[in-house]
Amino acid sequence: MWYYIEKCMADSGAWQRVNTQIPIRSPRYAVFDLAEGKQYKFRVLSANMYGASEPSEPTGPIETQELKGVPSAPGQVISTRETNTSVLIQWAPPKEPNNLIGYYIDQCVKGSKDWTSANHKPHKNTKFVVSGLTTGETYVFRVQAINELGLSDESQESAPLTVKAALTPPSAPYDIAMLNCDGHSMVLNWKKPRHSGGANIKEYYVDKRRSGTTMWREVHIPPVTERLYKVEGLTEGAVYQFQVYAANLAGLGGASKCSVDFRCEAWTMPEPGPAYDLTFSEVRDNSLVVEWKKPVYAGSGPITGYHVEYAKKGTSDWTTANETAVSHRFLKVTSLEADTSYEFRVRAVNATGVGVASMASDPVTAKAVEGSQEVSCVVDEKSGDIVLSFESCQLNEGSQFIWKKDYKEITDFSRGVIKTEGSHSKLIFKNAEKEDFGTYSVSVTNTEGVSSSYTISAEELAKLLALSYDIRHPIIPLKSELAYKILERGRMRFWLQAEEISSNVTYKFFANNKELSGADPNKMGHDVSSGVIEFIMDHFTEENEGTFTCQITDGGGKAQSSLVLIGDAFKAALAEADYQRREYIRVKEGPHFSEFLSLQVGDDCSVSLVCKVANLKKESAFHWYKEDTEIIPDVKPDLGSGVCKLPIKLFSLKTAGVYKATISDDRGKDMSQIDISGKVFDDAINKISQLAGASASELVIKCTATGIQLQCHMKYYTSEMNITWCHGETKLSHSDKMIIGGTPAMATMEVIEPMEKDKGMYSIVITDRENSHKRTLDLSGEVYEKAFAEFQKLKAEAYAEKNRGKVVGGLPDVVTIMEKKTLSLTCTVCGDPKPQVSWLKNGADVEPDDQYVVSLDQGKFASLTIKGVSMEDSGRYTMIVQNKYGGESVDIVVSVYRHGEKIPEAKPTLTPKVMIPPKLPIEIPQPKTQPSPSSAPSTQSPSTPSPAPPKAGRGVKSPTPTRRK
């Protein structure tokens, strides 16, 4: 006994057979392909060999769930600082919420990829405060949406954000000074705010007023970024006052204290004006380094030097630190009292005398930062680099190491590199020269003045360079230079002996500057106890005449030895090697290779391995191998001729590797090996490029449904060949727009979705080591128009084929049914736009009535139901599915038999689907949105719209998903 299931819409009464093809043996069956959100009724029929029973009572209406899938990913995530342990996260809701339940927020320390959840229950809103974060740490965030079906994809990650307290405006600048005046303008300078507000100060605003007035006026738009500003448009003889504001990302800070009265009178004194911007570094208990900027007003002549003065805080007893003026703008002041605060000022000097003193600096206490260290200078024992190294005792967020030479910042360190890891920074001289002596200093920003310096004198630098050279160029002493010895079978042993080598020694052997391989059958080795290093060449030939060299590296030490074998010396060695080889073969009387494996490229670009064997007998066996895996060739080796060939089909990097050939019988075995890589591979590709380039045909056009393809037929093509495509003078590279490739018979370049800008001259250049071969085609004018029209035609045909009406499945070729039963022919159809479905019986239209019920549910489930079939209902039924892009028809043969008769044997006929051409012309839908001004020209074909994403699977409603781990 078996069962049949029937279904119908709850309000239609049109019953359809669910399992038309496969009888059901179990009283349980899963029904698929139901419409979402619709009500259905079901009933069951049982059947045996005599026929089917009456249907059961139908079920009550059963409604399917309307589930559209998980939500789409949330939009952009933005993070904002709140406190020093929390961050506010905001994001855009998903475009497809699909019964959204809430969101999960993930956090991760930047660079770690260790994501953790910030909430353990779905959060309803699109804002969330992430708490419990580490102050000073940098985080990224992402969000996922969730509904009953599960989690969406992750949103894009937020920009990295460092956790610290919210920004505040900076404090006020102070100590406004006048650096120059010409009677119509003044140059002002001021000190930056003591508190930056947690962000870099970006701008300054300067106000002025006449002395004795109350109205302040801004003197510049836009704001200035430096602390040096020339106020112009002033009245000569007038007295002015100034105030300055500073601003950062958080906003505008408070105004500075009003400056003293500045009279607008031109400076005419011959001495220089004041220096400005005094800064301090390398503060120690008894010394410090002061730096400054040169005066704006130089006086009657160039500035020749500077004097630095200092006084204890709160006194006016100024002491000159340097009796002799210094020409540079820095000075190390010594002999200070520990834990004592000092103020400093600088006077410039020219030929007429000492100039005006700068504004006094802020007080500086002569006290070293706790834990401060000094710069050290060493020569690295392994690399020989001269290294200045400094470790900071403090390091805060945003701290940077600033290296200077003679207190000028190093911005282009061509001699080496600066490396910083954590609190440690190094200035590394990779290529130091004798001019690199001087004072090198380093300071660490965002600290309490951490800094240090190191002075390299000319004498010390000479010693460092000498030590560096010795480390970089150590020599391994040799007991004996490179020599040779001829071994059995004519093999050549090249060897030398070092005084001492370690187990880590490495070495290379070269013949005429070409490195020799130690792979079988050659051998390479060494003996640590004796210091002997050797290379055994399996086959010594005329091609080996020249210079042999061995290069040794052991730790930092190196050695090299060469042996010249040319002329009479080479002929003697070759003759002895040939004699030993012939003697070995004569004595052994075994099969052997008379010519070892070589790679040959034919005139047709075919590539083959070739060798010769000798001294064979009937039982001798020849085998080919690649990477120790045997190759069974299409044609067996011709041992009778002694020449063996192995064609390498479709030669490319995929076929590269180590190939071997063996010849053996009961007398012995011989082997030959070749490594098809490196120069061997490159030489073969070069030869192929020569032959293929010479055979290259002129460029031809082949249009496709995606673009215009240019083809260049040649004897052989592989991507390893040196081939360049150009548009005009511009080299083309493979991309989504330009598809570069080919087949073994031609090289191709396809312009995807061609536009006006793609017109022009195209060329292909096939290059080998000696020559290049160029072929061109002018893709413009009538040539372009014809090609573009053909592309449009093919594109439209492809679009029509994709979207025409089709029968997906479900219809049998032959149906056998008992009289008075209900026949349901059901299948799934598709097409865009939704196709129309019609039915024929024996070539005539089927007219729907009470017996013949025709339906098309949701535009994709087509059916013909015949109630109470009779013998007259036998025949050929045809279903036609069609839209404006064409369609197809399918035939079904229906055979009706009477009750009690033997069920006739179904004889399926393989009737092919008949295609229905599209209505002409084929129209491809235009994009819904208008192109922007920067979009492609109007001549470009519109892109075929992507099909709608499939709906989620139907089934029983699932419980609320849990958070994934």
Side-chain angles (χ1 to χ4, degrees), residues 270-323:
E271 298 81 12
Y276 66 101
D277 270 5
L278 276 64
T279 58
F280 303 93
S281 61
E282 303 173 45
V283 179
R284 301 294 185 262
D285 291 345
N286 304 107
S287 65
L288 55 78
V289 174
V290 58
E291 301 173 61
W292 59 89
K293 293 182 180 178
K294 67 179 180 180
V296 175
Y297 179 79
S300 61
I303 296 172
T304 58
Y306 300 90
H307 288 290
V308 176
E309 300 175 348
Y310 62 93
K312 291 183 179 180
K313 179 182 177 182
T315 70
S316 58
D317 186 11
W318 292 93
T319 302
T320 302
N322 56 315
E323 293 300 330

Short mmCIF file of all heavy atoms in Angstrom, two decimals, residues 270-323:
data_model
loop_
_atom_site.label_atom_id
_atom_site.label_comp_id
_atom_site.label_asym_id
_atom_site.label_seq_id
_atom_site.Cartn_x
_atom_site.Cartn_y
_atom_site.Cartn_z
N PRO A 270 71.13 99.37 15.38
CA PRO A 270 72.03 98.50 14.59
C PRO A 270 72.16 97.10 15.17
O PRO A 270 72.54 96.18 14.45
CB PRO A 270 73.35 99.26 14.64
CG PRO A 270 73.30 100.05 15.92
CD PRO A 270 71.87 100.44 16.10
N GLU A 271 71.89 96.92 16.47
CA GLU A 271 72.02 95.61 17.09
C GLU A 271 70.79 94.75 16.73
O GLU A 271 69.73 95.25 16.38
CB GLU A 271 72.14 95.71 18.61
CG GLU A 271 73.35 96.46 19.10
CD GLU A 271 73.14 97.96 19.07
OE1 GLU A 271 71.97 98.39 18.87
OE2 GLU A 271 74.12 98.71 19.22
N PRO A 272 70.93 93.42 16.83
CA PRO A 272 69.80 92.53 16.50
C PRO A 272 68.65 92.68 17.49
O PRO A 272 68.81 93.13 18.63
CB PRO A 272 70.41 91.13 16.59
CG PRO A 272 71.89 91.33 16.54
CD PRO A 272 72.15 92.66 17.17
N GLY A 273 67.44 92.25 17.03
CA GLY A 273 66.28 92.18 17.91
C GLY A 273 66.34 90.93 18.78
O GLY A 273 67.32 90.18 18.76
N PRO A 274 65.26 90.67 19.53
CA PRO A 274 65.29 89.53 20.46
C PRO A 274 65.10 88.19 19.75
O PRO A 274 64.37 88.09 18.76
CB PRO A 274 64.10 89.83 21.39
CG PRO A 274 63.15 90.61 20.53
CD PRO A 274 64.00 91.46 19.64
N ALA A 275 65.77 87.18 20.25
CA ALA A 275 65.46 85.80 19.86
C ALA A 275 64.13 85.41 20.50
O ALA A 275 63.58 86.15 21.33
CB ALA A 275 66.58 84.86 20.31
N TYR A 276 63.60 84.23 20.16
CA TYR A 276 62.29 83.84 20.74
C TYR A 276 62.17 82.32 20.75
O TYR A 276 63.02 81.60 20.24
CB TYR A 276 61.14 84.48 19.97
CG TYR A 276 60.99 84.00 18.53
CD1 TYR A 276 60.02 83.07 18.20
CD2 TYR A 276 61.82 84.49 17.53
CE1 TYR A 276 59.88 82.63 16.90
CE2 TYR A 276 61.68 84.06 16.22
CZ TYR A 276 60.71 83.13 15.89
OH TYR A 276 60.57 82.69 14.61
N ASP A 277 61.07 81.86 21.35
CA ASP A 277 60.75 80.41 21.46
C ASP A 277 61.90 79.62 22.07
O ASP A 277 62.46 78.71 21.46
CB ASP A 277 60.41 79.85 20.08
CG ASP A 277 58.92 79.96 19.79
OD1 ASP A 277 58.21 80.55 20.61
OD2 ASP A 277 58.48 79.45 18.74
N LEU A 278 62.25 79.93 23.30
CA LEU A 278 63.27 79.16 24.01
C LEU A 278 62.67 77.83 24.46
O LEU A 278 61.58 77.80 25.04
CB LEU A 278 63.79 79.94 25.24
CG LEU A 278 64.91 80.97 24.98
CD1 LEU A 278 64.43 82.09 24.07
CD2 LEU A 278 65.44 81.52 26.30
N THR A 279 63.36 76.73 24.19
CA THR A 279 62.92 75.40 24.63
C THR A 279 64.09 74.71 25.31
O THR A 279 65.25 75.06 25.11
CB THR A 279 62.44 74.55 23.44
OG1 THR A 279 63.51 74.44 22.48
CG2 THR A 279 61.22 75.16 22.76
N PHE A 280 63.76 73.69 26.11
CA PHE A 280 64.78 73.03 26.95
C PHE A 280 64.69 71.52 26.78
O PHE A 280 63.61 70.95 26.59
CB PHE A 280 64.59 73.42 28.41
CG PHE A 280 64.64 74.91 28.64
CD1 PHE A 280 63.46 75.66 28.63
CD2 PHE A 280 65.84 75.56 28.83
CE1 PHE A 280 63.50 77.03 28.81
CE2 PHE A 280 65.89 76.92 29.01
CZ PHE A 280 64.71 77.67 29.01
N SER A 281 65.83 70.87 26.85
CA SER A 281 65.91 69.41 26.80
C SER A 281 67.10 68.97 27.62
O SER A 281 67.91 69.79 28.06
CB SER A 281 66.03 68.92 25.35
OG SER A 281 67.21 69.43 24.75
N GLU A 282 67.18 67.66 27.83
CA GLU A 282 68.29 67.06 28.56
C GLU A 282 68.52 67.74 29.91
O GLU A 282 69.65 68.05 30.29
CB GLU A 282 69.57 67.09 27.71
CG GLU A 282 69.42 66.41 26.37
CD GLU A 282 70.62 66.59 25.47
OE1 GLU A 282 71.74 66.42 25.98
OE2 GLU A 282 70.43 66.90 24.28
N VAL A 283 67.40 67.97 30.61
CA VAL A 283 67.50 68.62 31.93
C VAL A 283 68.03 67.60 32.92
O VAL A 283 67.47 66.53 33.11
CB VAL A 283 66.12 69.14 32.37
CG1 VAL A 283 66.24 69.80 33.75
CG2 VAL A 283 65.57 70.14 31.34
N ARG A 284 69.15 67.95 33.54
CA ARG A 284 69.77 67.09 34.56
C ARG A 284 69.94 67.90 35.84
O ARG A 284 69.56 69.08 35.91
CB ARG A 284 71.13 66.59 34.06
CG ARG A 284 71.06 65.79 32.76
CD ARG A 284 70.30 64.48 32.94
NE ARG A 284 70.32 63.67 31.74
CZ ARG A 284 69.36 63.63 30.84
NH1 ARG A 284 68.27 64.38 31.00
NH2 ARG A 284 69.45 62.85 29.79
N ASP A 285 70.51 67.30 36.88
CA ASP A 285 70.64 67.98 38.17
C ASP A 285 71.57 69.18 38.10
O ASP A 285 71.44 70.12 38.90
CB ASP A 285 71.16 67.00 39.23
CG ASP A 285 70.12 65.94 39.57
OD1 ASP A 285 68.94 66.14 39.21
OD2 ASP A 285 70.48 64.92 40.18
N ASN A 286 72.52 69.19 37.17
CA ASN A 286 73.50 70.29 37.11
C ASN A 286 73.63 70.91 35.73
O ASN A 286 74.50 71.76 35.53
CB ASN A 286 74.88 69.79 37.57
CG ASN A 286 74.84 69.18 38.96
OD1 ASN A 286 74.95 67.96 39.09
ND2 ASN A 286 74.65 69.99 39.98
N SER A 287 72.78 70.48 34.77
CA SER A 287 72.92 71.01 33.41
C SER A 287 71.61 70.87 32.65
O SER A 287 70.70 70.15 33.06
CB SER A 287 74.04 70.27 32.66
OG SER A 287 73.68 68.91 32.48
N LEU A 288 71.55 71.56 31.53
CA LEU A 288 70.45 71.42 30.59
C LEU A 288 70.88 71.99 29.26
O LEU A 288 71.89 72.68 29.15
CB LEU A 288 69.18 72.12 31.10
CG LEU A 288 69.24 73.61 31.47
CD1 LEU A 288 69.22 74.52 30.26
CD2 LEU A 288 68.05 73.96 32.37
N VAL A 289 70.09 71.70 28.20
CA VAL A 289 70.34 72.24 26.86
C VAL A 289 69.20 73.19 26.52
O VAL A 289 68.03 72.83 26.64
CB VAL A 289 70.43 71.12 25.81
CG1 VAL A 289 70.54 71.71 24.40
CG2 VAL A 289 71.63 70.21 26.09
N VAL A 290 69.57 74.40 26.12
CA VAL A 290 68.58 75.40 25.72
C VAL A 290 68.71 75.62 24.22
O VAL A 290 69.80 75.67 23.67
CB VAL A 290 68.75 76.73 26.50
CG1 VAL A 290 70.14 77.31 26.29
CG2 VAL A 290 67.69 77.74 26.06
N GLU A 291 67.53 75.71 23.53
CA GLU A 291 67.48 75.98 22.09
C GLU A 291 66.59 77.20 21.87
O GLU A 291 65.72 77.51 22.69
CB GLU A 291 66.92 74.78 21.34
CG GLU A 291 67.71 73.49 21.52
CD GLU A 291 67.01 72.30 20.88
OE1 GLU A 291 66.81 72.33 19.65
OE2 GLU A 291 66.65 71.35 21.62
N TRP A 292 66.77 77.89 20.75
CA TRP A 292 65.98 79.08 20.46
C TRP A 292 65.90 79.31 18.96
O TRP A 292 66.58 78.61 18.18
CB TRP A 292 66.60 80.31 21.14
CG TRP A 292 68.02 80.58 20.71
CD1 TRP A 292 68.44 81.33 19.66
CD2 TRP A 292 69.21 80.05 21.33
NE1 TRP A 292 69.80 81.32 19.57
CE2 TRP A 292 70.31 80.54 20.58
CE3 TRP A 292 69.44 79.22 22.43
CZ2 TRP A 292 71.62 80.22 20.91
CZ3 TRP A 292 70.75 78.90 22.76
CH2 TRP A 292 71.83 79.40 22.00
N LYS A 293 65.08 80.28 18.56
CA LYS A 293 64.95 80.66 17.16
C LYS A 293 65.57 82.03 16.96
O LYS A 293 65.53 82.88 17.85
CB LYS A 293 63.48 80.67 16.73
CG LYS A 293 62.85 79.27 16.74
CD LYS A 293 61.40 79.30 16.27
CE LYS A 293 60.81 77.89 16.28
NZ LYS A 293 59.39 77.89 15.88
N LYS A 294 66.14 82.22 15.75
CA LYS A 294 66.87 83.46 15.50
C LYS A 294 65.93 84.66 15.44
O LYS A 294 64.75 84.53 15.10
CB LYS A 294 67.67 83.33 14.21
CG LYS A 294 66.82 83.23 12.94
CD LYS A 294 67.73 83.13 11.72
CE LYS A 294 66.90 83.02 10.44
NZ LYS A 294 67.75 82.91 9.24
N PRO A 295 66.45 85.86 15.76
CA PRO A 295 65.61 87.05 15.76
C PRO A 295 65.02 87.34 14.37
O PRO A 295 65.63 87.02 13.34
CB PRO A 295 66.56 88.16 16.18
CG PRO A 295 67.68 87.46 16.89
CD PRO A 295 67.81 86.14 16.22
N VAL A 296 63.84 87.96 14.37
CA VAL A 296 63.24 88.41 13.12
C VAL A 296 63.97 89.65 12.61
O VAL A 296 64.17 89.82 11.41
CB VAL A 296 61.73 88.70 13.33
CG1 VAL A 296 61.11 89.28 12.07
CG2 VAL A 296 61.01 87.43 13.77
N TYR A 297 64.41 90.51 13.56
CA TYR A 297 65.13 91.75 13.21
C TYR A 297 66.61 91.50 13.41
O TYR A 297 67.07 91.23 14.53
CB TYR A 297 64.64 92.91 14.08
CG TYR A 297 65.34 94.23 13.81
CD1 TYR A 297 64.98 95.01 12.72
CD2 TYR A 297 66.36 94.68 14.66
CE1 TYR A 297 65.63 96.21 12.48
CE2 TYR A 297 67.00 95.87 14.42
CZ TYR A 297 66.63 96.65 13.32
OH TYR A 297 67.27 97.84 13.08
N ALA A 298 67.40 91.57 12.31
CA ALA A 298 68.83 91.26 12.40
C ALA A 298 69.70 92.47 12.69
O ALA A 298 70.87 92.32 13.02
CB ALA A 298 69.29 90.61 11.10
N GLY A 299 69.16 93.70 12.59
CA GLY A 299 69.97 94.88 12.80
C GLY A 299 70.67 95.31 11.54
O GLY A 299 70.22 95.04 10.42
N SER A 300 71.85 95.96 11.68
CA SER A 300 72.55 96.52 10.54
C SER A 300 73.43 95.52 9.82
O SER A 300 74.01 95.82 8.79
CB SER A 300 73.42 97.70 11.00
OG SER A 300 74.38 97.25 11.94
N GLY A 301 73.55 94.30 10.35
CA GLY A 301 74.40 93.29 9.70
C GLY A 301 73.99 91.90 10.11
O GLY A 301 73.13 91.71 11.00
N PRO A 302 74.57 90.88 9.48
CA PRO A 302 74.18 89.50 9.79
C PRO A 302 74.54 89.12 11.23
O PRO A 302 75.51 89.62 11.79
CB PRO A 302 74.99 88.67 8.78
CG PRO A 302 76.14 89.54 8.40
CD PRO A 302 75.62 90.95 8.45
N ILE A 303 73.75 88.23 11.80
CA ILE A 303 73.99 87.75 13.17
C ILE A 303 75.17 86.79 13.15
O ILE A 303 75.24 85.87 12.34
CB ILE A 303 72.72 87.07 13.72
CG1 ILE A 303 71.59 88.10 13.83
CG2 ILE A 303 73.00 86.41 15.06
CD1 ILE A 303 70.26 87.51 14.18
N THR A 304 76.11 87.02 14.06
CA THR A 304 77.33 86.20 14.11
C THR A 304 77.37 85.23 15.28
O THR A 304 78.21 84.34 15.32
CB THR A 304 78.57 87.12 14.18
OG1 THR A 304 78.45 87.96 15.35
CG2 THR A 304 78.66 87.98 12.94
N GLY A 305 76.50 85.40 16.26
CA GLY A 305 76.53 84.50 17.40
C GLY A 305 75.48 84.85 18.43
O GLY A 305 74.66 85.76 18.24
N TYR A 306 75.51 84.10 19.55
CA TYR A 306 74.51 84.27 20.60
C TYR A 306 75.17 84.10 21.97
O TYR A 306 76.11 83.31 22.15
CB TYR A 306 73.39 83.23 20.46
CG TYR A 306 72.64 83.30 19.15
CD1 TYR A 306 73.06 82.55 18.05
CD2 TYR A 306 71.52 84.13 19.01
CE1 TYR A 306 72.38 82.62 16.84
CE2 TYR A 306 70.83 84.19 17.81
CZ TYR A 306 71.26 83.43 16.73
OH TYR A 306 70.59 83.49 15.55
N HIS A 307 74.60 84.84 22.94
CA HIS A 307 74.94 84.66 24.35
C HIS A 307 73.69 84.19 25.07
O HIS A 307 72.58 84.67 24.82
CB HIS A 307 75.41 85.98 24.97
CG HIS A 307 76.78 86.41 24.51
ND1 HIS A 307 77.93 85.73 24.89
CD2 HIS A 307 77.19 87.43 23.71
CE1 HIS A 307 78.97 86.33 24.35
NE2 HIS A 307 78.56 87.37 23.62
N VAL A 308 73.88 83.23 26.00
CA VAL A 308 72.79 82.72 26.82
C VAL A 308 73.01 83.22 28.25
O VAL A 308 74.11 83.09 28.81
CB VAL A 308 72.74 81.18 26.79
CG1 VAL A 308 71.66 80.69 27.74
CG2 VAL A 308 72.50 80.69 25.37
N GLU A 309 71.95 83.79 28.83
CA GLU A 309 71.99 84.29 30.21
C GLU A 309 70.97 83.55 31.04
O GLU A 309 69.92 83.13 30.54
CB GLU A 309 71.70 85.79 30.23
CG GLU A 309 72.69 86.62 29.42
CD GLU A 309 72.32 88.09 29.35
OE1 GLU A 309 71.16 88.42 29.74
OE2 GLU A 309 73.15 88.90 28.91
N TYR A 310 71.28 83.40 32.33
CA TYR A 310 70.33 82.74 33.22
C TYR A 310 70.39 83.41 34.59
O TYR A 310 71.37 84.03 34.98
CB TYR A 310 70.62 81.25 33.34
CG TYR A 310 71.97 80.90 33.93
CD1 TYR A 310 72.11 80.66 35.30
CD2 TYR A 310 73.11 80.78 33.12
CE1 TYR A 310 73.34 80.33 35.84
CE2 TYR A 310 74.33 80.44 33.65
CZ TYR A 310 74.45 80.22 35.02
OH TYR A 310 75.66 79.88 35.55
N ALA A 311 69.25 83.29 35.29
CA ALA A 311 69.13 83.84 36.64
C ALA A 311 68.24 82.94 37.45
O ALA A 311 67.32 82.30 36.90
CB ALA A 311 68.56 85.26 36.59
N LYS A 312 68.49 82.88 38.75
CA LYS A 312 67.63 82.09 39.60
C LYS A 312 66.24 82.71 39.62
O LYS A 312 66.08 83.93 39.51
CB LYS A 312 68.20 82.01 41.02
CG LYS A 312 69.48 81.20 41.11
CD LYS A 312 69.96 81.09 42.56
CE LYS A 312 71.25 80.26 42.64
NZ LYS A 312 71.74 80.15 44.04
N LYS A 313 65.25 81.86 39.74
CA LYS A 313 63.86 82.31 39.73
C LYS A 313 63.64 83.34 40.83
O LYS A 313 64.05 83.16 41.98
CB LYS A 313 62.92 81.11 39.93
CG LYS A 313 61.45 81.47 39.97
CD LYS A 313 60.61 80.22 40.23
CE LYS A 313 59.14 80.59 40.36
NZ LYS A 313 58.31 79.39 40.66
N GLY A 314 63.02 84.46 40.44
CA GLY A 314 62.69 85.52 41.41
C GLY A 314 63.78 86.53 41.61
O GLY A 314 63.63 87.46 42.41
N THR A 315 64.93 86.38 40.89
CA THR A 315 66.02 87.36 41.02
C THR A 315 66.25 88.01 39.67
O THR A 315 65.73 87.56 38.65
CB THR A 315 67.32 86.68 41.48
OG1 THR A 315 67.83 85.86 40.42
CG2 THR A 315 67.09 85.83 42.71
N SER A 316 67.03 89.08 39.66
CA SER A 316 67.41 89.75 38.42
C SER A 316 68.92 89.72 38.22
O SER A 316 69.47 90.53 37.49
CB SER A 316 66.91 91.20 38.43
OG SER A 316 67.44 91.90 39.55
N ASP A 317 69.58 88.80 38.90
CA ASP A 317 71.03 88.66 38.82
C ASP A 317 71.36 87.71 37.67
O ASP A 317 71.50 86.50 37.86
CB ASP A 317 71.56 88.12 40.16
CG ASP A 317 73.09 88.09 40.19
OD1 ASP A 317 73.70 88.67 39.27
OD2 ASP A 317 73.64 87.47 41.11
N TRP A 318 71.49 88.27 36.46
CA TRP A 318 71.69 87.45 35.27
C TRP A 318 73.16 87.11 35.09
O TRP A 318 74.02 87.95 35.23
CB TRP A 318 71.18 88.18 34.03
CG TRP A 318 69.68 88.34 34.03
CD1 TRP A 318 68.97 89.39 34.50
CD2 TRP A 318 68.74 87.37 33.58
NE1 TRP A 318 67.64 89.17 34.37
CE2 TRP A 318 67.45 87.91 33.78
CE3 TRP A 318 68.85 86.10 33.01
CZ2 TRP A 318 66.30 87.25 33.46
CZ3 TRP A 318 67.70 85.44 32.67
CH2 TRP A 318 66.44 85.99 32.89
N THR A 319 73.43 85.87 34.76
CA THR A 319 74.78 85.35 34.53
C THR A 319 74.88 84.89 33.08
O THR A 319 73.98 84.21 32.58
CB THR A 319 75.09 84.17 35.47
OG1 THR A 319 74.95 84.62 36.83
CG2 THR A 319 76.50 83.65 35.23
N THR A 320 75.99 85.26 32.42
CA THR A 320 76.20 84.81 31.04
C THR A 320 76.84 83.43 31.06
O THR A 320 77.89 83.21 31.68
CB THR A 320 77.11 85.78 30.29
OG1 THR A 320 76.51 87.09 30.30
CG2 THR A 320 77.31 85.33 28.85
N ALA A 321 76.17 82.48 30.39
CA ALA A 321 76.65 81.10 30.43
C ALA A 321 77.84 80.89 29.53
O ALA A 321 78.68 80.02 29.79
CB ALA A 321 75.51 80.15 30.03
N ASN A 322 77.96 81.65 28.44
CA ASN A 322 79.07 81.49 27.49
C ASN A 322 79.69 82.85 27.22
O ASN A 322 79.05 83.74 26.66
CB ASN A 322 78.59 80.85 26.20
CG ASN A 322 77.45 81.61 25.54
OD1 ASN A 322 76.51 82.03 26.21
ND2 ASN A 322 77.52 81.79 24.23
N GLU A 323 80.94 83.00 27.63
CA GLU A 323 81.63 84.27 27.39
C GLU A 323 81.87 84.49 25.89
O GLU A 323 81.80 85.61 25.40
CB GLU A 323 82.97 84.29 28.14
CG GLU A 323 82.81 84.30 29.67
CD GLU A 323 82.03 85.52 30.17
OE1 GLU A 323 82.11 86.59 29.52
OE2 GLU A 323 81.34 85.39 31.20
#
